[in-house]
Amino acid sequence: MISKRNLIFIGAPGAGKGTFSALLTREYPLAHISTGDILRGEIKRDTELGRQAAGLMKEGKLVPDQVVAGMVRNRLTEKDCEYGFILDGFPRTIGQAELLEEALKSLARKLDAVVYFKVDDDIILQRLTARISCKNCGEIYNKLFLPPKQDGVCDKCGGELFQRPDDSLETATERLKVFYANTQPLIDYYAAKGLLLTITELEMNAALAQLKAGLA
Ligand code: AMP
């Protein structure tokens, strides 16, 4: 068995990266590193970085490569990354992929696989604009596909549910555009390195089993 514990998840926003991450980290001690979550945390704490990123995020634009790559490099040195990690939403540009390569080299780590979540645009937009999450614990719901038991209330902790400001139709459309312009080229980049595993909506269960086999 070849173990594959150092993973990148690539896909348009709403493609299922976060859901898959949650399913895997429930069973394996992988660190889930979402640059979107880290940035939202910075905004919540009103740090200098958060203030810089807030405007860009609100418009669905990318935060500069050096900023996010620095954040990820720091995060990768933490103890919970030892077993393995999922990079969710990073890298999003070739520049970030190159910075990641340098960081991993300096930390004597390597990538094992890059999972590309291939989902149709209309499904993505439907999912994003119906996505709601808990203000308190971050649990994600979908008004259409995965509604909470009680309207506006988190099943898990009773917290208040809200829509992320960048999940509005206008910003979600912009984020999809940004994905195709900046992140799509990464698919060829990692395919050329022999690391790419593409999964579609129909193959999600088989892909999950395959990933789990690599983590054992
Ligand atoms: P996400 O939660 O991954 O959809 O990210 C939300 C927003 O955070 C994105 O629309 C970007 O503005 C910003 N962001 C997250 N990750 C990155 C990244 N790797 N590079 C640049 N910006 C990012």
Side-chain angles (χ1 to χ4, degrees):
M1 171 62 57
I2 304 164
S3 77
K4 293 196 167 161
R5 295 177 175 177
N6 298 334
L7 308 170
I8 289 179
F9 284 2
I10 293 183
K17 306 183 297 289
T19 307
F20 247 62
S21 301
L23 290 170
L24 292 176
T25 53
R26 211 178 275 166
E27 286 182 49
Y28 301 92
L30 292 167
H32 174 221
I33 305 173
S34 152
T35 40
D37 283 350
I38 300 175
L39 289 166
R40 281 184 288 278
E42 297 281 340
I43 292 175
K44 210 169 173 181
R45 291 198 306 281
D46 196 25
T47 63
E48 177 61 35
L49 173 57
R51 282 193 290 273
Q52 279 174 20
L56 292 166
M57 290 174 73
K58 214 165 145 194
E59 288 175 21
K61 306 247 187 307
L62 294 182
V63 173
D65 287 351
Q66 294 284 354
V67 174
V68 274
M71 270 169 22
V72 170
R73 194 194 182 287
N74 285 342
R75 181 67 185 83
L76 285 171
T77 61
E78 289 176 30
K79 187 136 184 63
D80 67 331
C81 297
E82 269 173 20
Y83 178 89
F85 54 79
I86 299 172
L87 291 174
D88 166 359
F90 176 90
R92 265 170 149 102
T93 65
I94 299 280
Q96 290 179 18
E98 288 169 353
L99 290 168
L100 173 65
E101 225 162 86
E102 280 169 30
L104 288 173
K105 209 172 191 181
S106 72
L107 297 168
R109 304 287 298 259
K110 67 170 187 52
L111 277 179
D112 294 319
V114 177
V115 184
Y116 169 41
F117 292 73
K118 195 167 186 252
V119 180
D120 286 348
D121 289 0
D122 48 351
I123 297 181
I124 294 279
L125 285 177
Q126 217 179 22
R127 268 199 206 150
L128 282 181
T129 52
R131 180 161 78 173
I132 41 177
S133 52
C134 176
K135 262 188 182 161
N136 182 42
C137 73
E139 185 75 359
I140 296 169
Y141 299 87
N142 187 290
K143 286 188 253 180
L144 300 174
F145 313 115
L146 186 67
K149 288 193 186 88
Q150 194 186 334
D151 213 20
V153 181
C154 178
D155 295 349
K156 237 168 112 181
C157 74
E160 185 190 338
L161 301 180
F162 78 114
Q163 183 185 48
R164 271 171 48 177
D166 57 349
D167 281 344
S168 67
L169 181 62
E170 193 192 353
T171 312
T173 308
E174 173 64 23
R175 288 163 72 204
L176 255 187
K177 233 165 67 191
V178 167
F179 171 76
Y180 284 115
N182 298 284
T183 311
Q184 187 85 1
L186 282 177
I187 292 154
D188 292 338
Y189 178 87
Y190 285 120
K193 291 182 185 288
L195 290 171
L196 199 73
L197 168 71
T198 300
I199 61 176
T200 65
E201 189 75 356
L202 296 174
E203 302 158 343
M204 295 276 176
N205 286 336
L208 187 62
Q210 192 180 342
L211 284 173
K212 283 184 178 177
L215 292 171

Short mmCIF file of all heavy atoms in Angstrom, two decimals, residues 2-10 17 20-21 23-25 28-34 72 76 81 83-91 100 104 109-117 190 195-197 207-208 210-216:
data_model
loop_
_atom_site.label_atom_id
_atom_site.label_comp_id
_atom_site.label_asym_id
_atom_site.label_seq_id
_atom_site.Cartn_x
_atom_site.Cartn_y
_atom_site.Cartn_z
N ILE A 2 0.62 2.13 -0.95
CA ILE A 2 1.37 3.40 -0.99
C ILE A 2 0.56 4.42 -0.20
O ILE A 2 -0.61 4.65 -0.48
CB ILE A 2 1.52 3.90 -2.43
CG1 ILE A 2 2.19 2.82 -3.28
CG2 ILE A 2 2.27 5.21 -2.48
CD1 ILE A 2 2.07 3.04 -4.76
N SER A 3 1.16 5.02 0.82
CA SER A 3 0.35 5.96 1.59
C SER A 3 0.37 7.35 0.93
O SER A 3 1.38 7.80 0.41
CB SER A 3 0.80 6.01 3.04
OG SER A 3 1.94 6.75 3.14
N LYS A 4 -0.81 7.95 0.94
CA LYS A 4 -0.97 9.28 0.34
C LYS A 4 -1.60 10.17 1.37
O LYS A 4 -2.82 10.25 1.48
CB LYS A 4 -1.83 9.19 -0.92
CG LYS A 4 -1.14 8.42 -2.02
CD LYS A 4 -1.79 8.63 -3.36
CE LYS A 4 -0.87 8.09 -4.44
NZ LYS A 4 -1.46 7.82 -5.68
N ARG A 5 -0.79 10.84 2.12
CA ARG A 5 -1.31 11.62 3.25
C ARG A 5 -1.13 13.11 3.10
O ARG A 5 -1.64 13.87 3.91
CB ARG A 5 -0.60 11.17 4.53
CG ARG A 5 -0.90 9.73 4.90
CD ARG A 5 -0.10 9.37 6.09
NE ARG A 5 -0.42 8.05 6.57
CZ ARG A 5 0.20 7.47 7.59
NH1 ARG A 5 1.14 8.13 8.23
NH2 ARG A 5 -0.13 6.26 7.97
N ASN A 6 -0.34 13.52 2.13
CA ASN A 6 -0.13 14.95 1.94
C ASN A 6 -0.88 15.36 0.68
O ASN A 6 -0.43 15.11 -0.43
CB ASN A 6 1.36 15.27 1.83
CG ASN A 6 2.11 14.88 3.08
OD1 ASN A 6 1.52 14.84 4.17
ND2 ASN A 6 3.39 14.59 2.95
N LEU A 7 -2.04 15.97 0.88
CA LEU A 7 -2.98 16.14 -0.22
C LEU A 7 -3.32 17.60 -0.48
O LEU A 7 -3.35 18.42 0.44
CB LEU A 7 -4.30 15.42 0.11
CG LEU A 7 -4.20 13.95 0.53
CD1 LEU A 7 -5.55 13.47 1.04
CD2 LEU A 7 -3.73 13.09 -0.63
N ILE A 8 -3.60 17.87 -1.77
CA ILE A 8 -4.17 19.18 -2.14
C ILE A 8 -5.56 18.90 -2.70
O ILE A 8 -5.73 17.96 -3.47
CB ILE A 8 -3.33 19.86 -3.23
CG1 ILE A 8 -1.99 20.34 -2.67
CG2 ILE A 8 -4.08 21.03 -3.84
CD1 ILE A 8 -1.10 20.99 -3.71
N PHE A 9 -6.55 19.70 -2.31
CA PHE A 9 -7.88 19.63 -2.91
C PHE A 9 -8.08 20.87 -3.77
O PHE A 9 -8.01 21.99 -3.26
CB PHE A 9 -8.97 19.60 -1.83
CG PHE A 9 -9.13 18.26 -1.14
CD1 PHE A 9 -8.31 17.18 -1.45
CD2 PHE A 9 -10.13 18.08 -0.20
CE1 PHE A 9 -8.46 15.95 -0.81
CE2 PHE A 9 -10.29 16.85 0.44
CZ PHE A 9 -9.45 15.79 0.13
N ILE A 10 -8.31 20.65 -5.07
CA ILE A 10 -8.56 21.77 -5.98
C ILE A 10 -9.98 21.65 -6.53
O ILE A 10 -10.42 20.54 -6.86
CB ILE A 10 -7.59 21.73 -7.19
CG1 ILE A 10 -6.16 21.99 -6.75
CG2 ILE A 10 -7.99 22.76 -8.24
CD1 ILE A 10 -5.19 22.04 -7.92
N LYS A 17 -14.91 20.39 -1.58
CA LYS A 17 -13.60 20.21 -0.93
C LYS A 17 -13.74 20.17 0.59
O LYS A 17 -13.17 19.31 1.26
CB LYS A 17 -12.64 21.34 -1.33
CG LYS A 17 -12.48 21.53 -2.81
CD LYS A 17 -11.46 22.60 -3.15
CE LYS A 17 -11.79 24.00 -2.67
NZ LYS A 17 -12.90 24.66 -3.39
N PHE A 20 -15.57 16.92 1.79
CA PHE A 20 -14.66 15.77 1.71
C PHE A 20 -13.62 15.84 2.83
O PHE A 20 -13.28 14.83 3.44
CB PHE A 20 -13.95 15.78 0.36
CG PHE A 20 -14.34 14.64 -0.52
CD1 PHE A 20 -15.66 14.50 -0.94
CD2 PHE A 20 -13.41 13.71 -0.93
CE1 PHE A 20 -16.02 13.45 -1.76
CE2 PHE A 20 -13.77 12.65 -1.75
CZ PHE A 20 -15.08 12.52 -2.17
N SER A 21 -13.12 17.04 3.07
CA SER A 21 -12.12 17.21 4.13
C SER A 21 -12.70 16.77 5.47
O SER A 21 -12.06 16.06 6.24
CB SER A 21 -11.68 18.68 4.24
OG SER A 21 -11.13 19.12 3.04
N LEU A 23 -15.12 14.68 6.00
CA LEU A 23 -15.31 13.23 6.05
C LEU A 23 -13.99 12.50 6.35
O LEU A 23 -13.97 11.52 7.08
CB LEU A 23 -15.86 12.72 4.70
CG LEU A 23 -17.31 13.11 4.41
CD1 LEU A 23 -17.69 12.78 2.97
CD2 LEU A 23 -18.25 12.39 5.37
N LEU A 24 -12.90 13.00 5.80
CA LEU A 24 -11.60 12.33 6.01
C LEU A 24 -11.02 12.64 7.39
O LEU A 24 -10.48 11.75 8.06
CB LEU A 24 -10.60 12.73 4.92
CG LEU A 24 -10.94 12.23 3.51
CD1 LEU A 24 -9.94 12.76 2.50
CD2 LEU A 24 -10.95 10.70 3.46
N THR A 25 -11.13 13.90 7.83
CA THR A 25 -10.51 14.25 9.11
C THR A 25 -11.28 13.66 10.30
O THR A 25 -10.75 13.57 11.39
CB THR A 25 -10.37 15.78 9.30
OG1 THR A 25 -11.65 16.38 9.08
CG2 THR A 25 -9.38 16.38 8.34
N TYR A 28 -9.29 10.20 10.17
CA TYR A 28 -7.81 10.18 10.13
C TYR A 28 -7.26 11.48 10.72
O TYR A 28 -7.86 12.53 10.52
CB TYR A 28 -7.32 10.00 8.69
CG TYR A 28 -7.84 8.74 8.06
CD1 TYR A 28 -9.02 8.74 7.33
CD2 TYR A 28 -7.18 7.52 8.23
CE1 TYR A 28 -9.53 7.58 6.77
CE2 TYR A 28 -7.68 6.35 7.68
CZ TYR A 28 -8.86 6.39 6.95
OH TYR A 28 -9.36 5.24 6.41
N PRO A 29 -6.09 11.39 11.38
CA PRO A 29 -5.57 12.60 12.03
C PRO A 29 -4.87 13.57 11.08
O PRO A 29 -3.74 14.00 11.31
CB PRO A 29 -4.58 12.02 13.06
CG PRO A 29 -4.14 10.73 12.48
CD PRO A 29 -5.27 10.19 11.66
N LEU A 30 -5.54 13.88 9.99
CA LEU A 30 -4.98 14.81 9.01
C LEU A 30 -5.28 16.24 9.44
O LEU A 30 -6.36 16.50 9.97
CB LEU A 30 -5.68 14.62 7.66
CG LEU A 30 -5.46 13.34 6.89
CD1 LEU A 30 -6.48 13.24 5.76
CD2 LEU A 30 -4.05 13.30 6.33
N ALA A 31 -4.34 17.15 9.17
CA ALA A 31 -4.63 18.57 9.43
C ALA A 31 -5.40 19.12 8.23
O ALA A 31 -4.97 18.93 7.09
CB ALA A 31 -3.34 19.32 9.63
N HIS A 32 -6.51 19.77 8.50
CA HIS A 32 -7.29 20.40 7.42
C HIS A 32 -6.91 21.87 7.35
O HIS A 32 -7.20 22.63 8.27
CB HIS A 32 -8.79 20.23 7.70
CG HIS A 32 -9.65 20.97 6.72
ND1 HIS A 32 -10.76 21.68 7.08
CD2 HIS A 32 -9.54 21.12 5.38
CE1 HIS A 32 -11.30 22.22 6.00
NE2 HIS A 32 -10.58 21.90 4.96
N ILE A 33 -6.25 22.26 6.27
CA ILE A 33 -5.77 23.64 6.16
C ILE A 33 -6.55 24.35 5.06
O ILE A 33 -6.32 24.12 3.88
CB ILE A 33 -4.26 23.67 5.87
CG1 ILE A 33 -3.50 22.85 6.93
CG2 ILE A 33 -3.75 25.10 5.79
CD1 ILE A 33 -2.02 22.68 6.64
N SER A 34 -7.51 25.18 5.47
CA SER A 34 -8.30 25.94 4.50
C SER A 34 -7.84 27.39 4.59
O SER A 34 -8.00 28.03 5.63
CB SER A 34 -9.79 25.81 4.85
OG SER A 34 -10.49 26.96 4.40
N VAL A 72 0.39 29.53 4.87
CA VAL A 72 0.37 28.06 4.76
C VAL A 72 1.70 27.48 5.25
O VAL A 72 1.73 26.48 5.97
CB VAL A 72 0.08 27.62 3.31
CG1 VAL A 72 0.29 26.13 3.12
CG2 VAL A 72 -1.35 27.99 2.94
N LEU A 76 2.06 24.71 8.19
CA LEU A 76 2.60 23.36 7.96
C LEU A 76 3.66 22.95 8.98
O LEU A 76 3.98 21.77 9.11
CB LEU A 76 3.21 23.27 6.54
CG LEU A 76 2.20 23.19 5.39
CD1 LEU A 76 2.91 23.34 4.05
CD2 LEU A 76 1.42 21.88 5.45
N CYS A 81 0.30 18.62 11.68
CA CYS A 81 0.50 18.33 10.25
C CYS A 81 1.42 17.13 10.04
O CYS A 81 1.64 16.72 8.89
CB CYS A 81 1.09 19.54 9.55
SG CYS A 81 0.00 20.97 9.56
N TYR A 83 1.22 13.84 10.61
CA TYR A 83 0.66 12.62 9.99
C TYR A 83 0.39 12.88 8.50
O TYR A 83 0.65 12.03 7.65
CB TYR A 83 -0.63 12.25 10.71
CG TYR A 83 -1.35 11.05 10.15
CD1 TYR A 83 -1.07 9.76 10.60
CD2 TYR A 83 -2.35 11.20 9.17
CE1 TYR A 83 -1.73 8.66 10.08
CE2 TYR A 83 -3.01 10.11 8.65
CZ TYR A 83 -2.71 8.84 9.11
OH TYR A 83 -3.37 7.76 8.60
N GLY A 84 -0.14 14.03 8.21
CA GLY A 84 -0.47 14.40 6.84
C GLY A 84 -1.37 15.62 6.86
O GLY A 84 -1.79 16.07 7.93
N PHE A 85 -1.66 16.17 5.66
CA PHE A 85 -2.47 17.39 5.61
C PHE A 85 -3.32 17.42 4.36
O PHE A 85 -3.01 16.77 3.37
CB PHE A 85 -1.57 18.63 5.67
CG PHE A 85 -0.49 18.66 4.63
CD1 PHE A 85 -0.76 19.03 3.32
CD2 PHE A 85 0.82 18.29 4.96
CE1 PHE A 85 0.24 19.04 2.36
CE2 PHE A 85 1.83 18.30 3.99
CZ PHE A 85 1.54 18.68 2.69
N ILE A 86 -4.41 18.18 4.46
CA ILE A 86 -5.22 18.50 3.28
C ILE A 86 -5.14 20.00 3.08
O ILE A 86 -5.52 20.76 3.98
CB ILE A 86 -6.70 18.14 3.47
CG1 ILE A 86 -6.87 16.64 3.71
CG2 ILE A 86 -7.51 18.59 2.26
CD1 ILE A 86 -8.30 16.26 4.11
N LEU A 87 -4.61 20.43 1.96
CA LEU A 87 -4.65 21.86 1.63
C LEU A 87 -5.92 22.11 0.84
O LEU A 87 -6.08 21.58 -0.27
CB LEU A 87 -3.41 22.24 0.82
CG LEU A 87 -2.09 22.20 1.59
CD1 LEU A 87 -0.91 22.46 0.65
CD2 LEU A 87 -2.09 23.24 2.70
N ASP A 88 -6.83 22.86 1.42
CA ASP A 88 -8.16 23.07 0.83
C ASP A 88 -8.25 24.54 0.38
O ASP A 88 -8.26 25.44 1.21
CB ASP A 88 -9.19 22.72 1.92
CG ASP A 88 -10.59 23.19 1.62
OD1 ASP A 88 -10.82 23.83 0.59
OD2 ASP A 88 -11.48 22.92 2.46
N GLY A 89 -8.27 24.72 -0.93
CA GLY A 89 -8.36 26.10 -1.44
C GLY A 89 -6.99 26.76 -1.59
O GLY A 89 -6.91 27.97 -1.78
N PHE A 90 -5.95 25.99 -1.52
CA PHE A 90 -4.58 26.47 -1.73
C PHE A 90 -3.78 25.32 -2.31
O PHE A 90 -3.91 24.21 -1.79
CB PHE A 90 -3.94 26.93 -0.42
CG PHE A 90 -2.49 27.35 -0.58
CD1 PHE A 90 -2.16 28.65 -0.88
CD2 PHE A 90 -1.47 26.40 -0.49
CE1 PHE A 90 -0.84 29.03 -1.06
CE2 PHE A 90 -0.15 26.78 -0.67
CZ PHE A 90 0.17 28.09 -0.95
N PRO A 91 -2.94 25.51 -3.32
CA PRO A 91 -2.72 26.75 -4.07
C PRO A 91 -3.86 27.05 -5.03
O PRO A 91 -4.58 26.16 -5.46
CB PRO A 91 -1.43 26.46 -4.83
CG PRO A 91 -1.40 24.98 -5.01
CD PRO A 91 -2.07 24.41 -3.81
N LEU A 100 4.62 26.94 -2.74
CA LEU A 100 4.36 25.76 -1.90
C LEU A 100 5.48 24.74 -2.07
O LEU A 100 5.94 24.14 -1.10
CB LEU A 100 3.00 25.14 -2.27
CG LEU A 100 2.70 23.81 -1.58
CD1 LEU A 100 2.55 24.00 -0.07
CD2 LEU A 100 1.43 23.17 -2.15
N LEU A 104 7.61 23.24 0.95
CA LEU A 104 7.63 21.81 1.30
C LEU A 104 9.07 21.29 1.27
O LEU A 104 9.47 20.50 2.13
CB LEU A 104 6.76 21.01 0.33
CG LEU A 104 5.25 21.22 0.52
CD1 LEU A 104 4.47 20.53 -0.60
CD2 LEU A 104 4.78 20.68 1.88
N ARG A 109 9.19 17.90 3.22
CA ARG A 109 7.92 17.21 3.00
C ARG A 109 7.69 17.12 1.49
O ARG A 109 8.31 17.86 0.73
CB ARG A 109 6.76 17.99 3.63
CG ARG A 109 6.89 18.28 5.09
CD ARG A 109 6.68 17.06 5.96
NE ARG A 109 5.37 16.47 5.86
CZ ARG A 109 4.40 16.63 6.76
NH1 ARG A 109 4.58 17.44 7.79
NH2 ARG A 109 3.26 16.00 6.65
N LYS A 110 6.77 16.25 1.10
CA LYS A 110 6.42 16.24 -0.33
C LYS A 110 4.92 16.00 -0.51
O LYS A 110 4.26 15.50 0.39
CB LYS A 110 7.24 15.18 -1.07
CG LYS A 110 6.90 13.77 -0.67
CD LYS A 110 7.58 12.80 -1.63
CE LYS A 110 7.15 11.37 -1.41
NZ LYS A 110 5.71 11.10 -1.39
N LEU A 111 4.46 16.38 -1.69
CA LEU A 111 3.04 16.16 -2.00
C LEU A 111 2.83 14.73 -2.46
O LEU A 111 3.67 14.19 -3.17
CB LEU A 111 2.64 17.05 -3.17
CG LEU A 111 2.27 18.47 -2.89
CD1 LEU A 111 1.93 19.15 -4.21
CD2 LEU A 111 1.08 18.51 -1.96
N ASP A 112 1.69 14.14 -2.08
CA ASP A 112 1.40 12.78 -2.53
C ASP A 112 0.33 12.75 -3.62
O ASP A 112 0.36 11.90 -4.49
CB ASP A 112 0.93 11.92 -1.35
CG ASP A 112 2.03 11.72 -0.33
OD1 ASP A 112 3.17 11.51 -0.75
OD2 ASP A 112 1.74 11.80 0.87
N ALA A 113 -0.65 13.63 -3.53
CA ALA A 113 -1.72 13.63 -4.53
C ALA A 113 -2.45 14.96 -4.55
O ALA A 113 -2.52 15.66 -3.53
CB ALA A 113 -2.73 12.51 -4.25
N VAL A 114 -2.97 15.29 -5.73
CA VAL A 114 -3.77 16.50 -5.90
C VAL A 114 -5.13 16.06 -6.42
O VAL A 114 -5.23 15.46 -7.49
CB VAL A 114 -3.10 17.47 -6.91
CG1 VAL A 114 -3.97 18.70 -7.15
CG2 VAL A 114 -1.71 17.87 -6.41
N VAL A 115 -6.16 16.31 -5.64
CA VAL A 115 -7.50 15.85 -6.01
C VAL A 115 -8.26 17.02 -6.62
O VAL A 115 -8.39 18.07 -5.99
CB VAL A 115 -8.26 15.33 -4.76
CG1 VAL A 115 -9.62 14.77 -5.18
CG2 VAL A 115 -7.45 14.27 -4.03
N TYR A 116 -8.73 16.81 -7.84
CA TYR A 116 -9.50 17.85 -8.53
C TYR A 116 -10.98 17.48 -8.51
O TYR A 116 -11.37 16.44 -9.03
CB TYR A 116 -8.99 18.01 -9.96
CG TYR A 116 -9.87 18.87 -10.85
CD1 TYR A 116 -10.46 20.04 -10.38
CD2 TYR A 116 -10.09 18.53 -12.18
CE1 TYR A 116 -11.26 20.81 -11.19
CE2 TYR A 116 -10.89 19.31 -13.01
CZ TYR A 116 -11.48 20.45 -12.51
OH TYR A 116 -12.28 21.22 -13.31
N PHE A 117 -11.78 18.33 -7.90
CA PHE A 117 -13.24 18.12 -7.82
C PHE A 117 -13.88 18.80 -9.02
O PHE A 117 -13.95 20.02 -9.09
CB PHE A 117 -13.80 18.75 -6.53
CG PHE A 117 -13.36 18.05 -5.29
CD1 PHE A 117 -12.05 18.19 -4.83
CD2 PHE A 117 -14.22 17.25 -4.57
CE1 PHE A 117 -11.63 17.55 -3.68
CE2 PHE A 117 -13.81 16.61 -3.42
CZ PHE A 117 -12.51 16.76 -2.98
N TYR A 190 -0.30 20.01 -12.28
CA TYR A 190 -0.14 18.83 -11.43
C TYR A 190 -0.31 17.53 -12.22
O TYR A 190 0.27 16.51 -11.85
CB TYR A 190 -1.10 18.89 -10.23
CG TYR A 190 -0.63 19.88 -9.19
CD1 TYR A 190 -1.40 20.96 -8.82
CD2 TYR A 190 0.62 19.72 -8.58
CE1 TYR A 190 -0.96 21.87 -7.86
CE2 TYR A 190 1.07 20.63 -7.62
CZ TYR A 190 0.28 21.70 -7.27
OH TYR A 190 0.72 22.60 -6.33
N LEU A 195 0.53 13.80 -10.42
CA LEU A 195 -0.07 13.80 -9.08
C LEU A 195 -1.60 13.91 -9.10
O LEU A 195 -2.24 13.77 -8.06
CB LEU A 195 0.47 15.00 -8.28
CG LEU A 195 1.93 14.94 -7.85
CD1 LEU A 195 2.37 16.28 -7.26
CD2 LEU A 195 2.13 13.83 -6.81
N LEU A 196 -2.18 14.16 -10.28
CA LEU A 196 -3.60 14.53 -10.33
C LEU A 196 -4.55 13.34 -10.26
O LEU A 196 -4.38 12.34 -10.94
CB LEU A 196 -3.89 15.31 -11.60
CG LEU A 196 -5.18 16.12 -11.56
CD1 LEU A 196 -5.03 17.34 -10.67
CD2 LEU A 196 -5.58 16.56 -12.96
N LEU A 197 -5.57 13.49 -9.41
CA LEU A 197 -6.68 12.53 -9.35
C LEU A 197 -7.95 13.36 -9.55
O LEU A 197 -8.27 14.21 -8.73
CB LEU A 197 -6.68 11.85 -7.98
CG LEU A 197 -7.90 11.04 -7.59
CD1 LEU A 197 -7.96 9.76 -8.41
CD2 LEU A 197 -7.85 10.66 -6.10
N ALA A 207 -14.23 7.69 -5.01
CA ALA A 207 -13.03 8.49 -4.76
C ALA A 207 -12.73 8.56 -3.27
O ALA A 207 -11.56 8.51 -2.85
CB ALA A 207 -13.22 9.88 -5.33
N LEU A 208 -13.78 8.66 -2.47
CA LEU A 208 -13.59 8.74 -1.02
C LEU A 208 -12.93 7.44 -0.53
O LEU A 208 -11.98 7.48 0.26
CB LEU A 208 -14.94 8.96 -0.34
CG LEU A 208 -14.91 9.23 1.15
CD1 LEU A 208 -14.14 10.51 1.46
CD2 LEU A 208 -16.33 9.35 1.72
N GLN A 210 -11.08 5.44 -2.23
CA GLN A 210 -9.70 5.40 -2.74
C GLN A 210 -8.77 6.25 -1.86
O GLN A 210 -7.67 5.84 -1.52
CB GLN A 210 -9.71 5.93 -4.17
CG GLN A 210 -8.41 5.69 -4.93
CD GLN A 210 -8.51 6.25 -6.35
OE1 GLN A 210 -9.60 6.51 -6.87
NE2 GLN A 210 -7.37 6.45 -6.97
N LEU A 211 -9.27 7.43 -1.48
CA LEU A 211 -8.46 8.31 -0.63
C LEU A 211 -8.24 7.66 0.74
O LEU A 211 -7.14 7.71 1.29
CB LEU A 211 -9.14 9.66 -0.45
CG LEU A 211 -9.05 10.61 -1.63
CD1 LEU A 211 -9.89 11.84 -1.38
CD2 LEU A 211 -7.60 11.02 -1.86
N LYS A 212 -9.28 7.05 1.27
CA LYS A 212 -9.16 6.41 2.59
C LYS A 212 -8.13 5.30 2.55
O LYS A 212 -7.36 5.12 3.48
CB LYS A 212 -10.51 5.87 3.05
CG LYS A 212 -11.44 6.96 3.56
CD LYS A 212 -12.72 6.36 4.08
CE LYS A 212 -13.66 7.42 4.64
NZ LYS A 212 -14.93 6.85 5.07
N ALA A 213 -8.11 4.55 1.44
CA ALA A 213 -7.14 3.45 1.32
C ALA A 213 -5.71 3.99 1.40
O ALA A 213 -4.83 3.36 1.99
CB ALA A 213 -7.36 2.71 0.01
N GLY A 214 -5.50 5.18 0.86
CA GLY A 214 -4.17 5.77 0.89
C GLY A 214 -3.78 6.35 2.24
O GLY A 214 -2.63 6.67 2.50
N LEU A 215 -4.75 6.52 3.11
CA LEU A 215 -4.48 7.14 4.41
C LEU A 215 -4.20 6.14 5.51
O LEU A 215 -3.67 6.47 6.57
CB LEU A 215 -5.68 7.99 4.84
CG LEU A 215 -5.92 9.24 3.97
CD1 LEU A 215 -7.24 9.88 4.33
CD2 LEU A 215 -4.79 10.22 4.17
N ALA A 216 -4.59 4.90 5.26
CA ALA A 216 -4.48 3.89 6.33
C ALA A 216 -3.02 3.59 6.67
O ALA A 216 -2.15 3.81 5.86
CB ALA A 216 -5.21 2.64 5.92
#
